[in-house]
Amino acid sequence: GKNIGQKIDSYLVNWSKVEIETDGNDLRKLDIKEGPVYKDILHKLKLAKIDGFVQSKSQELEYVKLSKHSTT
């Protein structure tokens, strides 16, 4: 198996390659109050995409809606 260093390297490579389609405008449309929370939400969304929980923009938005209660 991979050692922890290889796993971290792999994760960082994925991090730099993965792009989420959701942005601040989308969060505003979901009635999420603008502020530092946006950075947190988008960060969590990118982690979810790397981990394979979301693939499309519609899944990203659904993920944000489901996790919205924990960010307000």
Side-chain angles (χ1 to χ4, degrees):
K2 290 183 178 181
N3 68 35
I4 192 74
Q6 288 172 316
K7 287 180 180 177
I8 291 171
D9 286 346
S10 173
Y11 204 79
L12 291 175
V13 167
N14 285 338
W15 181 265
S16 65
K17 288 182 182 173
V18 168
E19 292 292 327
I20 54 174
E21 299 174 58
T22 302
D23 61 20
N25 291 322
D26 297 308
L27 299 182
R28 238 185 322 281
K29 288 176 191 167
L30 293 174
D31 293 326
I32 299 173
K33 193 172 186 233
E34 206 168 339
V37 71
Y38 275 31
K39 184 178 179 183
D40 187 47
I41 292 169
L42 296 174
H43 180 83
K44 287 178 183 170
L45 192 53
K46 188 167 185 173
L47 290 174
K49 190 152 192 175
I50 289 172
D51 290 338
F53 291 116
V54 296
Q55 278 90 35
S56 65
K57 184 167 183 174
S58 61
Q59 288 178 333
E60 290 177 9
L61 293 172
E62 195 59 34
Y63 180 87
V64 171
K65 288 180 203 169
L66 291 173
S67 59
K68 189 173 160 182
H69 67 277
S70 63
T71 59
T72 52

